[in-house]
Amino acid sequence: MDFVTLDVETANADPKSICQIGVAIFKDGELVDTWGTLINPHDEFDWMNIQIHGITSNDVKQAPTMVEVQNKLESYIGNAIVGTYTSFDKTAIEKNYGQTNFQWLDITKVVRRTWEEVSYTGYGLANVCKLNSIEIGKHHDAIEDAIAAGKVLVAALQAKKLTISDCEHLVKKGIVSLIASGSMVDSLGSENVIIDGGNPDGEWFGDVLCFTGEMSMPRIKASILASQAGFDVGKGVTKKTNYLIKGQQDLTKLNGKDISSKEEKALSLIKKGQDIIIISEDDFFRMISRG
C-alpha cells in the first residue's frame, strides 16, 4: 500500500496561485516521510483565502516558486500514485506545470464508494477524519491535510479490503450501483438534458454546486452541463455545497462589496470547517471535461 498524497493552498481563487504545498509519503500503509514548503505565487492574495489558511504575501516573499521546487517535488513523487482530496490540487499542479505524468487519484471518489453515510454529502476531509477517528492537525495546512488525506485513503482501502492498485477500477464504478439506488432524472429529447439532482451515472454525482456571477454561457446551459456531470445544482450556498463556481462579477450589483453574498456565505462555512472549493468557470468546465 505505497502511495503519495499531495495538498496545496492557494493565494486566490485561481488554482495556479499555489502559496503552500505539502506531500506525505506512505509505505505499506504507514506514513514514513513528509515534505512541504511555502510558495511564492507572484500573485495577489485574496483576503478570503488568507482567512482560510492564514498565509499572507509577507509570508512568501522569500519562498521559492513552483518552478524552483519542481525537481524536488518530482523526486518525492517518483512513480507513485498521487492521491489528492478532490481534483482541485491536480488542477493547481497542472496549471503550473502543464500535463504531468503523475498517476492521479481523487481520494474523495474512493471515500464516497466506501462509506455509505458520506456517499452523497459530508465527505469533506475534516468530517471523514472525524468519522474514522483520524486526528487532523491544522486544517488547511498543506502538510497536515496531505497526511490526513493519506490516512483516510488507508482507512478506506482497509475497509474495502483493497490495494492501492484496485482504486483505478473502483472509482470507475457508479456510486449508485455500489451503495445507493440514486434518484430519478429527466431525459428530455436527444440531448439527454438532466437537471433535478444530477445524473446518477455522472462522475460527480452527490456533489452540490452553486454558480455566482455572470457565466460565459446562459446560466441554464451551465447548469445542464454541470448536472450531466452528476452535480446537484443549487440556487444558493448551503451546508451541502461542495463547489462555488465564479463567473464575472458585476460590481454594480455588489452594493459596494468586493465579493458576492454567495461567496461571503461560502467563506463563512469554510471558516466553520466545511470544505467548499471556489474556482473559476473556466477551471470548473476544464475539470469536468477531463473527468
Side-chain angles (χ1 to χ4, degrees), residues 126-138:
N127 188 57
V128 175
C129 283
K130 182 178 180 181
L131 177 69
N132 289 279
S133 300
I134 294 172
E135 183 177 348
I136 184 171
K138 180 187 175 185

Side-chain angles (χ1 to χ4, degrees), residues 237 244 262-271 276 278:
V237 175
L244 178 63
K262 290 179 181 177
E263 198 166 350
E264 281 187 334
K265 180 69 176 295
L267 173 61
S268 175
L269 291 172
I270 290 170
K271 290 177 68 177
I276 300 178
I278 303 174

Side-chain angles (χ1 to χ4, degrees), residues 26-56:
F26 286 77
K27 299 288 186 183
D28 296 322
E30 297 291 333
L31 177 68
V32 297
D33 198 6
T34 61
W35 171 77
T37 180
L38 292 174
I39 297 291
N40 189 338
H42 292 288
D43 202 347
E44 294 184 359
F45 276 71
D46 192 308
W47 67 270
M48 184 184 73
N49 293 63
I50 293 173
Q51 290 196 46
I52 293 170
H53 50 57
I55 302 169
T56 69

